[in-house]
PDB file of all heavy atoms in Angstrom:
ATOM      1  N   ASP K  23       0.811  -1.218   0.049  1.00  0.00           N
ATOM      2  CA  ASP K  23      -0.025   0.017  -0.078  1.00  0.00           C
ATOM      3  C   ASP K  23       0.870   1.239  -0.026  1.00  0.00           C
ATOM      4  O   ASP K  23       1.768   1.427   0.861  1.00  0.00           O
ATOM      5  CB  ASP K  23      -0.959  -0.080   1.257  1.00  0.00           C
ATOM      6  CG  ASP K  23      -1.723   1.257   1.405  1.00  0.00           C
ATOM      7  OD1 ASP K  23      -2.215   1.766   0.374  1.00  0.00           O
ATOM      8  OD2 ASP K  23      -1.763   1.778   2.553  1.00  0.00           O
ATOM      9  N   PRO K  24       0.600   2.167  -0.854  1.00  0.00           N
ATOM     10  CA  PRO K  24       1.451   3.440  -0.998  1.00  0.00           C
ATOM     11  C   PRO K  24       1.515   4.196   0.324  1.00  0.00           C
ATOM     12  O   PRO K  24       2.617   4.784   0.665  1.00  0.00           O
ATOM     13  CB  PRO K  24       0.784   4.242  -2.070  1.00  0.00           C
ATOM     14  CG  PRO K  24       0.105   3.256  -3.010  1.00  0.00           C
ATOM     15  CD  PRO K  24      -0.365   2.187  -1.988  1.00  0.00           C
ATOM     16  N   GLU K  25       0.435   4.171   1.097  1.00  0.00           N
ATOM     17  CA  GLU K  25       0.409   4.988   2.406  1.00  0.00           C
ATOM     18  C   GLU K  25       1.441   4.314   3.371  1.00  0.00           C
ATOM     19  O   GLU K  25       2.125   5.059   4.094  1.00  0.00           O
ATOM     20  CB  GLU K  25      -0.987   4.936   2.922  1.00  0.00           C
ATOM     21  CG  GLU K  25      -1.182   5.910   4.106  1.00  0.00           C
ATOM     22  CD  GLU K  25      -0.950   7.342   3.681  1.00  0.00           C
ATOM     23  OE1 GLU K  25      -1.335   7.697   2.526  1.00  0.00           O
ATOM     24  OE2 GLU K  25      -0.442   8.147   4.540  1.00  0.00           O
ATOM     25  N   SER K  26       1.525   2.911   3.316  1.00  0.00           N
ATOM     26  CA  SER K  26       2.514   2.298   4.190  1.00  0.00           C
ATOM     27  C   SER K  26       3.957   2.643   3.730  1.00  0.00           C
ATOM     28  O   SER K  26       4.796   2.814   4.602  1.00  0.00           O
ATOM     29  CB  SER K  26       2.228   0.765   4.092  1.00  0.00           C
ATOM     30  OG  SER K  26       1.003   0.427   4.540  1.00  0.00           O
ATOM     31  N   VAL K  27       4.182   2.783   2.468  1.00  0.00           N
ATOM     32  CA  VAL K  27       5.491   3.132   1.978  1.00  0.00           C
ATOM     33  C   VAL K  27       5.949   4.571   2.471  1.00  0.00           C
ATOM     34  O   VAL K  27       6.967   4.781   2.893  1.00  0.00           O
ATOM     35  CB  VAL K  27       5.617   3.047   0.509  1.00  0.00           C
ATOM     36  CG1 VAL K  27       6.929   3.482  -0.063  1.00  0.00           C
ATOM     37  CG2 VAL K  27       5.351   1.610   0.011  1.00  0.00           C
ATOM     38  N   TRP K  28       4.902   5.489   2.269  1.00  0.00           N
ATOM     39  CA  TRP K  28       5.269   6.871   2.684  1.00  0.00           C
ATOM     40  C   TRP K  28       5.416   6.947   4.206  1.00  0.00           C
ATOM     41  O   TRP K  28       6.201   7.738   4.682  1.00  0.00           O
ATOM     42  CB  TRP K  28       3.993   7.828   2.277  1.00  0.00           C
ATOM     43  CG  TRP K  28       4.019   8.128   0.818  1.00  0.00           C
ATOM     44  CD1 TRP K  28       3.004   7.864  -0.066  1.00  0.00           C
ATOM     45  CD2 TRP K  28       5.068   8.689   0.041  1.00  0.00           C
ATOM     46  NE1 TRP K  28       3.413   8.379  -1.331  1.00  0.00           N
ATOM     47  CE2 TRP K  28       4.609   8.876  -1.310  1.00  0.00           C
ATOM     48  CE3 TRP K  28       6.386   9.162   0.351  1.00  0.00           C
ATOM     49  CZ2 TRP K  28       5.328   9.372  -2.316  1.00  0.00           C
ATOM     50  CZ3 TRP K  28       7.146   9.735  -0.637  1.00  0.00           C
ATOM     51  CH2 TRP K  28       6.659   9.841  -1.932  1.00  0.00           C
ATOM     52  N   LYS K  29       4.678   6.187   4.968  1.00  0.00           N
ATOM     53  CA  LYS K  29       4.804   6.183   6.462  1.00  0.00           C
ATOM     54  C   LYS K  29       6.232   5.663   6.803  1.00  0.00           C
ATOM     55  O   LYS K  29       6.904   6.271   7.713  1.00  0.00           O
ATOM     56  CB  LYS K  29       3.740   5.366   7.093  1.00  0.00           C
ATOM     57  CG  LYS K  29       3.841   5.301   8.606  1.00  0.00           C
ATOM     58  CD  LYS K  29       2.708   4.514   9.211  1.00  0.00           C
ATOM     59  CE  LYS K  29       2.842   4.499  10.709  1.00  0.00           C
ATOM     60  NZ  LYS K  29       1.724   3.787  11.391  1.00  0.00           N
ATOM     61  N   ALA K  30       6.693   4.652   6.087  1.00  0.00           N
ATOM     62  CA  ALA K  30       7.998   4.060   6.338  1.00  0.00           C
ATOM     63  C   ALA K  30       9.099   5.084   5.978  1.00  0.00           C
ATOM     64  O   ALA K  30      10.082   5.248   6.674  1.00  0.00           O
ATOM     65  CB  ALA K  30       8.184   2.763   5.525  1.00  0.00           C
ATOM     66  N   LYS K  31       8.886   5.803   4.926  1.00  0.00           N
ATOM     67  CA  LYS K  31       9.831   6.791   4.454  1.00  0.00           C
ATOM     68  C   LYS K  31       9.935   7.917   5.489  1.00  0.00           C
ATOM     69  O   LYS K  31      11.069   8.461   5.737  1.00  0.00           O
ATOM     70  CB  LYS K  31       9.442   7.334   3.101  1.00  0.00           C
ATOM     71  CG  LYS K  31      10.456   8.357   2.573  1.00  0.00           C
ATOM     72  CD  LYS K  31      10.153   8.822   1.176  1.00  0.00           C
ATOM     73  CE  LYS K  31      10.936  10.136   0.719  1.00  0.00           C
ATOM     74  NZ  LYS K  31      12.396   9.986   0.886  1.00  0.00           N
ATOM     75  N   LYS K  32       8.801   8.360   6.015  1.00  0.00           N
ATOM     76  CA  LYS K  32       8.781   9.294   7.026  1.00  0.00           C
ATOM     77  C   LYS K  32       9.574   8.951   8.266  1.00  0.00           C
ATOM     78  O   LYS K  32      10.425   9.803   8.706  1.00  0.00           O
ATOM     79  CB  LYS K  32       7.321   9.639   7.489  1.00  0.00           C
ATOM     80  CG  LYS K  32       7.250  10.826   8.518  1.00  0.00           C
ATOM     81  CD  LYS K  32       5.806  10.934   9.112  1.00  0.00           C
ATOM     82  CE  LYS K  32       5.488   9.755  10.101  1.00  0.00           C
ATOM     83  NZ  LYS K  32       4.281  10.086  10.836  1.00  0.00           N
ATOM     84  N   LEU K  33       9.460   7.709   8.763  1.00  0.00           N
ATOM     85  CA  LEU K  33      10.252   7.240   9.865  1.00  0.00           C
ATOM     86  C   LEU K  33      11.786   7.168   9.508  1.00  0.00           C
ATOM     87  O   LEU K  33      12.590   7.573  10.327  1.00  0.00           O
ATOM     88  CB  LEU K  33       9.790   5.899  10.220  1.00  0.00           C
ATOM     89  CG  LEU K  33       8.376   5.775  10.784  1.00  0.00           C
ATOM     90  CD1 LEU K  33       7.974   4.340  11.090  1.00  0.00           C
ATOM     91  CD2 LEU K  33       8.253   6.603  12.006  1.00  0.00           C
ATOM     92  N   VAL K  34      12.095   6.730   8.320  1.00  0.00           N
ATOM     93  CA  VAL K  34      13.487   6.635   7.943  1.00  0.00           C
ATOM     94  C   VAL K  34      14.084   8.091   7.795  1.00  0.00           C
ATOM     95  O   VAL K  34      15.177   8.312   8.304  1.00  0.00           O
ATOM     96  CB  VAL K  34      13.581   5.933   6.548  1.00  0.00           C
ATOM     97  CG1 VAL K  34      15.065   6.085   6.037  1.00  0.00           C
ATOM     98  CG2 VAL K  34      13.223   4.375   6.725  1.00  0.00           C
ATOM     99  N   ASP K  35      13.355   8.947   7.169  1.00  0.00           N
ATOM    100  CA  ASP K  35      13.911  10.324   6.924  1.00  0.00           C
ATOM    101  C   ASP K  35      14.109  11.076   8.234  1.00  0.00           C
ATOM    102  O   ASP K  35      14.968  11.958   8.415  1.00  0.00           O
ATOM    103  CB  ASP K  35      12.982  11.112   6.055  1.00  0.00           C
ATOM    104  CG  ASP K  35      13.070  10.675   4.564  1.00  0.00           C
ATOM    105  OD1 ASP K  35      13.983   9.918   4.316  1.00  0.00           O
ATOM    106  OD2 ASP K  35      12.208  11.131   3.785  1.00  0.00           O
ATOM    107  N   SER K  36      13.301  10.790   9.285  1.00  0.00           N
ATOM    108  CA  SER K  36      13.350  11.485  10.516  1.00  0.00           C
ATOM    109  C   SER K  36      14.321  10.907  11.481  1.00  0.00           C
ATOM    110  O   SER K  36      14.673  11.532  12.534  1.00  0.00           O
ATOM    111  CB  SER K  36      11.928  11.496  11.248  1.00  0.00           C
ATOM    112  OG  SER K  36      11.589  10.168  11.593  1.00  0.00           O
ATOM    113  N   THR K  37      14.882   9.709  11.111  1.00  0.00           N
ATOM    114  CA  THR K  37      15.768   9.052  12.028  1.00  0.00           C
ATOM    115  C   THR K  37      17.201   8.902  11.470  1.00  0.00           C
ATOM    116  O   THR K  37      18.143   8.994  12.215  1.00  0.00           O
ATOM    117  CB  THR K  37      15.240   7.576  12.243  1.00  0.00           C
ATOM    118  OG1 THR K  37      13.929   7.670  12.781  1.00  0.00           O
ATOM    119  CG2 THR K  37      16.115   6.852  13.289  1.00  0.00           C
ATOM    120  N   PHE K  38      17.374   8.776  10.125  1.00  0.00           N
ATOM    121  CA  PHE K  38      18.637   8.519   9.517  1.00  0.00           C
ATOM    122  C   PHE K  38      19.104   9.807   8.775  1.00  0.00           C
ATOM    123  O   PHE K  38      18.312  10.405   8.022  1.00  0.00           O
ATOM    124  CB  PHE K  38      18.592   7.301   8.602  1.00  0.00           C
ATOM    125  CG  PHE K  38      18.196   6.095   9.387  1.00  0.00           C
ATOM    126  CD1 PHE K  38      16.958   5.638   9.435  1.00  0.00           C
ATOM    127  CD2 PHE K  38      19.197   5.267  10.028  1.00  0.00           C
ATOM    128  CE1 PHE K  38      16.617   4.471  10.120  1.00  0.00           C
ATOM    129  CE2 PHE K  38      18.953   4.115  10.624  1.00  0.00           C
ATOM    130  CZ  PHE K  38      17.615   3.739  10.710  1.00  0.00           C
ATOM    131  N   HIS K  39      20.390  10.064   8.781  1.00  0.00           N
ATOM    132  CA  HIS K  39      20.908  11.243   8.085  1.00  0.00           C
ATOM    133  C   HIS K  39      20.892  11.010   6.618  1.00  0.00           C
ATOM    134  O   HIS K  39      21.262   9.965   6.129  1.00  0.00           O
ATOM    135  CB  HIS K  39      22.372  11.552   8.500  1.00  0.00           C
ATOM    136  CG  HIS K  39      22.836  12.913   8.181  1.00  0.00           C
ATOM    137  ND1 HIS K  39      23.242  13.232   6.885  1.00  0.00           N
ATOM    138  CD2 HIS K  39      22.973  14.072   8.929  1.00  0.00           C
ATOM    139  CE1 HIS K  39      23.593  14.508   6.908  1.00  0.00           C
ATOM    140  NE2 HIS K  39      23.405  15.045   8.119  1.00  0.00           N
ATOM    141  N   SER K  40      20.470  12.051   5.815  1.00  0.00           N
ATOM    142  CA  SER K  40      20.291  11.895   4.419  1.00  0.00           C
ATOM    143  C   SER K  40      21.615  11.735   3.690  1.00  0.00           C
ATOM    144  O   SER K  40      21.642  11.173   2.510  1.00  0.00           O
ATOM    145  CB  SER K  40      19.463  13.132   3.874  1.00  0.00           C
ATOM    146  OG  SER K  40      20.178  14.344   4.193  1.00  0.00           O
ATOM    147  N   ASP K  41      22.763  12.239   4.258  1.00  0.00           N
ATOM    148  CA  ASP K  41      24.068  12.147   3.503  1.00  0.00           C
ATOM    149  C   ASP K  41      24.690  10.838   3.824  1.00  0.00           C
ATOM    150  O   ASP K  41      25.268  10.182   3.007  1.00  0.00           O
ATOM    151  CB  ASP K  41      24.922  13.294   3.965  1.00  0.00           C
ATOM    152  CG  ASP K  41      24.616  14.619   3.272  1.00  0.00           C
ATOM    153  OD1 ASP K  41      23.947  14.530   2.239  1.00  0.00           O
ATOM    154  OD2 ASP K  41      24.904  15.724   3.772  1.00  0.00           O
ATOM    155  N   THR K  42      24.708  10.460   5.133  1.00  0.00           N
ATOM    156  CA  THR K  42      25.454   9.248   5.570  1.00  0.00           C
ATOM    157  C   THR K  42      24.669   7.991   5.724  1.00  0.00           C
ATOM    158  O   THR K  42      25.197   6.884   5.656  1.00  0.00           O
ATOM    159  CB  THR K  42      26.160   9.535   6.891  1.00  0.00           C
ATOM    160  OG1 THR K  42      25.105   9.699   7.903  1.00  0.00           O
ATOM    161  CG2 THR K  42      27.046  10.745   6.858  1.00  0.00           C
ATOM    162  N   GLY K  43      23.280   8.157   5.898  1.00  0.00           N
ATOM    163  CA  GLY K  43      22.499   6.965   6.110  1.00  0.00           C
ATOM    164  C   GLY K  43      22.607   6.459   7.514  1.00  0.00           C
ATOM    165  O   GLY K  43      21.905   5.493   7.924  1.00  0.00           O
ATOM    166  N   GLU K  44      23.396   7.106   8.388  1.00  0.00           N
ATOM    167  CA  GLU K  44      23.613   6.683   9.746  1.00  0.00           C
ATOM    168  C   GLU K  44      22.443   7.225  10.641  1.00  0.00           C
ATOM    169  O   GLU K  44      21.928   8.331  10.394  1.00  0.00           O
ATOM    170  CB  GLU K  44      24.983   7.183  10.278  1.00  0.00           C
ATOM    171  CG  GLU K  44      26.093   6.486   9.508  1.00  0.00           C
ATOM    172  CD  GLU K  44      27.480   7.008  10.060  1.00  0.00           C
ATOM    173  OE1 GLU K  44      27.467   7.867  10.966  1.00  0.00           O
ATOM    174  OE2 GLU K  44      28.434   6.549   9.483  1.00  0.00           O
ATOM    175  N   LYS K  45      22.213   6.544  11.732  1.00  0.00           N
ATOM    176  CA  LYS K  45      21.091   6.926  12.706  1.00  0.00           C
ATOM    177  C   LYS K  45      21.595   8.095  13.445  1.00  0.00           C
ATOM    178  O   LYS K  45      22.705   8.178  13.964  1.00  0.00           O
ATOM    179  CB  LYS K  45      20.795   5.785  13.610  1.00  0.00           C
ATOM    180  CG  LYS K  45      19.551   6.057  14.502  1.00  0.00           C
ATOM    181  CD  LYS K  45      19.322   4.873  15.422  1.00  0.00           C
ATOM    182  CE  LYS K  45      18.887   3.637  14.718  1.00  0.00           C
ATOM    183  NZ  LYS K  45      18.536   2.542  15.649  1.00  0.00           N
ATOM    184  N   ILE K  46      20.774   9.141  13.495  1.00  0.00           N
ATOM    185  CA  ILE K  46      21.027  10.382  14.363  1.00  0.00           C
ATOM    186  C   ILE K  46      20.724  10.060  15.706  1.00  0.00           C
ATOM    187  O   ILE K  46      19.735   9.460  16.043  1.00  0.00           O
ATOM    188  CB  ILE K  46      20.226  11.539  13.803  1.00  0.00           C
ATOM    189  CG1 ILE K  46      20.437  11.843  12.336  1.00  0.00           C
ATOM    190  CG2 ILE K  46      20.459  12.828  14.673  1.00  0.00           C
ATOM    191  CD1 ILE K  46      19.505  12.886  11.780  1.00  0.00           C
ATOM    192  N   LEU K  47      21.738  10.529  16.570  1.00  0.00           N
ATOM    193  CA  LEU K  47      21.429  10.242  18.010  1.00  0.00           C
ATOM    194  C   LEU K  47      20.127  10.878  18.518  1.00  0.00           C
ATOM    195  O   LEU K  47      19.807  12.011  18.170  1.00  0.00           O
ATOM    196  CB  LEU K  47      22.668  10.957  18.845  1.00  0.00           C
ATOM    197  CG  LEU K  47      22.660  10.657  20.359  1.00  0.00           C
ATOM    198  CD1 LEU K  47      23.140   9.122  20.419  1.00  0.00           C
ATOM    199  CD2 LEU K  47      23.846  11.435  20.981  1.00  0.00           C
ATOM    200  N   LEU K  48      19.370  10.120  19.233  1.00  0.00           N
ATOM    201  CA  LEU K  48      17.945  10.430  19.478  1.00  0.00           C
ATOM    202  C   LEU K  48      17.675  11.865  20.015  1.00  0.00           C
ATOM    203  O   LEU K  48      16.808  12.532  19.455  1.00  0.00           O
ATOM    204  CB  LEU K  48      17.366   9.408  20.470  1.00  0.00           C
ATOM    205  CG  LEU K  48      15.902   9.453  20.633  1.00  0.00           C
ATOM    206  CD1 LEU K  48      15.192   7.999  20.842  1.00  0.00           C
ATOM    207  CD2 LEU K  48      15.433  10.236  21.815  1.00  0.00           C
ATOM    208  N   PRO K  49      18.433  12.304  21.034  1.00  0.00           N
ATOM    209  CA  PRO K  49      18.059  13.648  21.567  1.00  0.00           C
ATOM    210  C   PRO K  49      18.238  14.808  20.609  1.00  0.00           C
ATOM    211  O   PRO K  49      17.704  15.843  20.719  1.00  0.00           O
ATOM    212  CB  PRO K  49      18.986  13.779  22.783  1.00  0.00           C
ATOM    213  CG  PRO K  49      19.402  12.438  23.073  1.00  0.00           C
ATOM    214  CD  PRO K  49      19.487  11.736  21.843  1.00  0.00           C
ATOM    215  N   PHE K  50      19.002  14.519  19.494  1.00  0.00           N
ATOM    216  CA  PHE K  50      19.316  15.554  18.516  1.00  0.00           C
ATOM    217  C   PHE K  50      18.760  15.258  17.161  1.00  0.00           C
ATOM    218  O   PHE K  50      19.167  15.917  16.186  1.00  0.00           O
ATOM    219  CB  PHE K  50      20.819  15.677  18.548  1.00  0.00           C
ATOM    220  CG  PHE K  50      21.451  15.895  19.764  1.00  0.00           C
ATOM    221  CD1 PHE K  50      22.300  14.882  20.303  1.00  0.00           C
ATOM    222  CD2 PHE K  50      21.177  16.994  20.612  1.00  0.00           C
ATOM    223  CE1 PHE K  50      22.750  15.051  21.620  1.00  0.00           C
ATOM    224  CE2 PHE K  50      21.640  17.120  21.802  1.00  0.00           C
ATOM    225  CZ  PHE K  50      22.485  16.196  22.349  1.00  0.00           C
ATOM    226  N   ARG K  51      17.718  14.437  17.076  1.00  0.00           N
ATOM    227  CA  ARG K  51      16.864  14.328  15.857  1.00  0.00           C
ATOM    228  C   ARG K  51      16.026  15.560  15.814  1.00  0.00           C
ATOM    229  O   ARG K  51      15.578  15.976  16.864  1.00  0.00           O
ATOM    230  CB  ARG K  51      16.112  13.019  15.866  1.00  0.00           C
ATOM    231  CG  ARG K  51      16.919  11.740  15.735  1.00  0.00           C
ATOM    232  CD  ARG K  51      16.187  10.488  16.007  1.00  0.00           C
ATOM    233  NE  ARG K  51      16.976   9.359  16.257  1.00  0.00           N
ATOM    234  CZ  ARG K  51      16.567   8.273  16.621  1.00  0.00           C
ATOM    235  NH1 ARG K  51      15.226   7.908  16.726  1.00  0.00           N
ATOM    236  NH2 ARG K  51      17.466   7.171  16.889  1.00  0.00           N
ATOM    237  N   MET K  52      15.626  15.950  14.605  1.00  0.00           N
ATOM    238  CA  MET K  52      14.714  17.133  14.506  1.00  0.00           C
ATOM    239  C   MET K  52      13.361  16.839  15.141  1.00  0.00           C
ATOM    240  O   MET K  52      12.661  17.737  15.654  1.00  0.00           O
ATOM    241  CB  MET K  52      14.537  17.518  13.068  1.00  0.00           C
ATOM    242  CG  MET K  52      15.836  18.107  12.447  1.00  0.00           C
ATOM    243  SD  MET K  52      16.731  19.315  13.470  1.00  0.00           S
ATOM    244  CE  MET K  52      15.624  20.737  13.303  1.00  0.00           C
ATOM    245  N   SER K  53      12.886  15.552  15.211  1.00  0.00           N
ATOM    246  CA  SER K  53      11.675  15.284  15.862  1.00  0.00           C
ATOM    247  C   SER K  53      11.798  15.364  17.353  1.00  0.00           C
ATOM    248  O   SER K  53      10.727  15.392  18.072  1.00  0.00           O
ATOM    249  CB  SER K  53      11.266  13.816  15.464  1.00  0.00           C
ATOM    250  OG  SER K  53      12.343  12.870  15.727  1.00  0.00           O
ATOM    251  N   CYS K  54      12.971  15.486  17.868  1.00  0.00           N
ATOM    252  CA  CYS K  54      13.228  15.644  19.383  1.00  0.00           C
ATOM    253  C   CYS K  54      13.589  17.095  19.687  1.00  0.00           C
ATOM    254  O   CYS K  54      13.967  17.362  20.819  1.00  0.00           O
ATOM    255  CB  CYS K  54      14.283  14.680  19.850  1.00  0.00           C
ATOM    256  SG  CYS K  54      14.276  14.309  21.617  1.00  0.00           S
ATOM    257  N   PHE K  55      13.464  17.974  18.701  1.00  0.00           N
ATOM    258  CA  PHE K  55      13.901  19.348  18.911  1.00  0.00           C
ATOM    259  C   PHE K  55      13.072  19.999  20.062  1.00  0.00           C
ATOM    260  O   PHE K  55      13.648  20.699  20.908  1.00  0.00           O
ATOM    261  CB  PHE K  55      13.760  20.125  17.664  1.00  0.00           C
ATOM    262  CG  PHE K  55      14.274  21.616  17.667  1.00  0.00           C
ATOM    263  CD1 PHE K  55      15.586  21.762  17.353  1.00  0.00           C
ATOM    264  CD2 PHE K  55      13.518  22.673  18.052  1.00  0.00           C
ATOM    265  CE1 PHE K  55      16.121  23.126  17.446  1.00  0.00           C
ATOM    266  CE2 PHE K  55      13.988  23.930  18.163  1.00  0.00           C
ATOM    267  CZ  PHE K  55      15.325  24.150  17.792  1.00  0.00           C
ATOM    268  N   VAL K  56      11.828  19.755  20.017  1.00  0.00           N
ATOM    269  CA  VAL K  56      10.935  20.441  21.013  1.00  0.00           C
ATOM    270  C   VAL K  56      11.185  19.839  22.437  1.00  0.00           C
ATOM    271  O   VAL K  56      11.413  20.613  23.415  1.00  0.00           O
ATOM    272  CB  VAL K  56       9.457  20.239  20.695  1.00  0.00           C
ATOM    273  CG1 VAL K  56       8.532  20.845  21.805  1.00  0.00           C
ATOM    274  CG2 VAL K  56       9.157  21.054  19.374  1.00  0.00           C
ATOM    275  N   PRO K  57      11.119  18.558  22.663  1.00  0.00           N
ATOM    276  CA  PRO K  57      11.396  18.042  23.992  1.00  0.00           C
ATOM    277  C   PRO K  57      12.828  18.386  24.532  1.00  0.00           C
ATOM    278  O   PRO K  57      12.931  18.661  25.732  1.00  0.00           O
ATOM    279  CB  PRO K  57      11.374  16.419  23.749  1.00  0.00           C
ATOM    280  CG  PRO K  57      10.437  16.328  22.596  1.00  0.00           C
ATOM    281  CD  PRO K  57      10.717  17.471  21.679  1.00  0.00           C
ATOM    282  N   THR K  58      13.834  18.455  23.645  1.00  0.00           N
ATOM    283  CA  THR K  58      15.174  18.781  24.086  1.00  0.00           C
ATOM    284  C   THR K  58      15.245  20.246  24.421  1.00  0.00           C
ATOM    285  O   THR K  58      16.006  20.560  25.420  1.00  0.00           O
ATOM    286  CB  THR K  58      16.176  18.434  22.907  1.00  0.00           C
ATOM    287  OG1 THR K  58      16.109  17.005  22.585  1.00  0.00           O
ATOM    288  CG2 THR K  58      17.636  18.722  23.385  1.00  0.00           C
ATOM    289  N   ASN K  59      14.560  21.118  23.758  1.00  0.00           N
ATOM    290  CA  ASN K  59      14.783  22.536  23.914  1.00  0.00           C
ATOM    291  C   ASN K  59      13.773  23.187  24.950  1.00  0.00           C
ATOM    292  O   ASN K  59      14.039  24.292  25.362  1.00  0.00           O
ATOM    293  CB  ASN K  59      14.653  23.302  22.619  1.00  0.00           C
ATOM    294  CG  ASN K  59      15.958  23.207  21.826  1.00  0.00           C
ATOM    295  OD1 ASN K  59      16.898  23.921  22.035  1.00  0.00           O
ATOM    296  ND2 ASN K  59      16.012  22.262  20.877  1.00  0.00           N
ATOM    297  N   ALA K  60      12.657  22.529  25.227  1.00  0.00           N
ATOM    298  CA  ALA K  60      11.592  23.133  26.004  1.00  0.00           C
ATOM    299  C   ALA K  60      12.045  23.622  27.367  1.00  0.00           C
ATOM    300  O   ALA K  60      11.771  24.766  27.720  1.00  0.00           O
ATOM    301  CB  ALA K  60      10.418  22.177  26.200  1.00  0.00           C
TER     302      ALA K  60
END
């Protein structure tokens, strides 16, 4: 299902660096920007 593919891509893009493909340390992912900075 295309929706499942897009959901998977969202998780991958928010977790792994687009240049290296390596996992970004959790507190410094952009999805953690608000909890880290609040």
Side-chain angles (χ1 to χ4, degrees):
D23 175 42
E25 194 61 36
S26 298
V27 177
W28 285 122
K29 183 177 180 180
K31 178 174 169 55
K32 180 187 76 168
L33 295 178
V34 170
D35 288 350
S36 67
T37 305
F38 299 92
H39 197 283
S40 57
D41 284 337
T42 64
E44 296 178 358
K45 189 183 293 183
I46 300 171
L47 192 64
L48 190 147
F50 308 113
R51 297 172 192 170
M52 295 310 292
S53 53
C54 200
F55 188 90
V56 174
T58 301
N59 281 277

